Amino acid sequence: MSATVNTDNWPAIKAAAEAALPAKVVEFIASLKGQTHAESHLIAILHMVQAENGWLSPETMEAVAQLAQIPLAKVTGVATFYHYFRLQPRGKHMINVCLGTACYVKGADKISQRLMDNLGIAFGETTKDGMFSLESTRCLGTCGLAPVVMIDDQVHGPVTPGEVGLILEKYLKKDKVKA
Ligand code: FES
């Protein structure tokens, strides 16, 4: 949907864009009306969308562009530039590998590589079955357990490359038992 804005179709476009976004975001964008630099709030808007939805879908980015009257290319450009923004839905389990100094010197790169090999995805991606998303993070504050991997809200450490498969298996098994 990249319709040209004119006086005939704007109400419909606006209504569709509002429906595609969380109410909080619609309100925030409305509060910016009249400000000359709406673009300077773009990162804040995208953060809000991601906080509510977990990721930035093409539909929500287009809705932001329409409502804030910012070119779609600019919105997608910012969303793709910053590593923080997720352009795919989150998996059921979020894996965060700590790449802080203490974890790095204890082999966090090897843990990362093993996770990527086992899951078949890179950082910022989600497995095809929707089970795991992989992210990297900076110091989790548990350097004594380095190298550390956080899955959902549970910290695992010290983790060896050989344990990676077992840890993932544990989460898969837990889900099977629940199902
Ligand atoms: S550097 Fe990894 S927990 Fe501190």
Side-chain angles (χ1 to χ4, degrees):
M1 180 186 86
S2 47
T4 308
V5 176
N6 62 39
T7 47
D8 294 333
N9 61 14
W10 172 241
I13 292 169
K14 184 170 178 272
E18 285 177 349
L21 291 172
K24 231 171 148 179
V25 178
V26 173
E27 277 166 34
F28 181 64
I29 294 174
S31 76
L32 301 175
K33 211 172 172 204
Q35 291 192 21
T36 41
H37 299 294
E39 286 188 26
S40 63
H41 297 282
L42 180 55
I43 291 177
I45 295 169
L46 295 179
H47 270 288
M48 282 178 85
V49 175
Q50 183 161 289
E52 293 289 314
N53 293 357
W55 69 299
L56 303 175
S57 67
E59 293 73 25
T60 53
M61 285 193 278
E62 179 155 354
V64 166
Q66 292 288 7
L67 277 190
Q69 292 290 283
I70 297 170
L72 181 58
K74 172 99 187 170
V75 176
T76 51
V78 167
T80 49
F81 180 78
Y82 290 101
H83 174 71
Y84 171 83
F85 291 122
R86 298 190 57 77
L87 305 178
Q88 291 181 332
R90 281 171 70 118
K92 186 165 184 191
H93 299 291
M94 176 57 74
I95 303 175
N96 265 298
V97 185
C98 179
L99 296 181
T101 309
C103 288
Y104 199 82
V105 298
K106 293 266 179 103
D109 54 336
K110 291 190 184 77
I111 306 296
S112 305
Q113 193 55 55
R114 187 60 72 94
L115 278 164
M116 289 193 270
D117 292 345
N118 279 27
L119 298 169
I121 55 172
F123 283 119
E125 293 181 348
T126 298
T127 53
K128 280 201 187 79
D129 62 3
M131 285 301 287
F132 297 103
S133 291
L134 184 62
E135 299 283 351
S136 63
T137 186
R138 294 291 159 187
C139 185
L140 288 163
T142 52
C143 307
L145 297 175
V148 166
V149 173
M150 188 163 167
I151 304 184
D152 302 329
D153 53 5
Q154 193 180 354
V155 171
H156 299 266
V159 176
T160 64
E163 287 169 348
V164 165
L166 294 172
I167 293 172
L168 296 176
E169 197 56 38
K170 215 173 79 185
Y171 281 84
L172 290 171
K173 268 195 195 142
K174 232 195 273 174
D175 288 332
K176 259 191 212 152
V177 171
K178 276 189 207 157

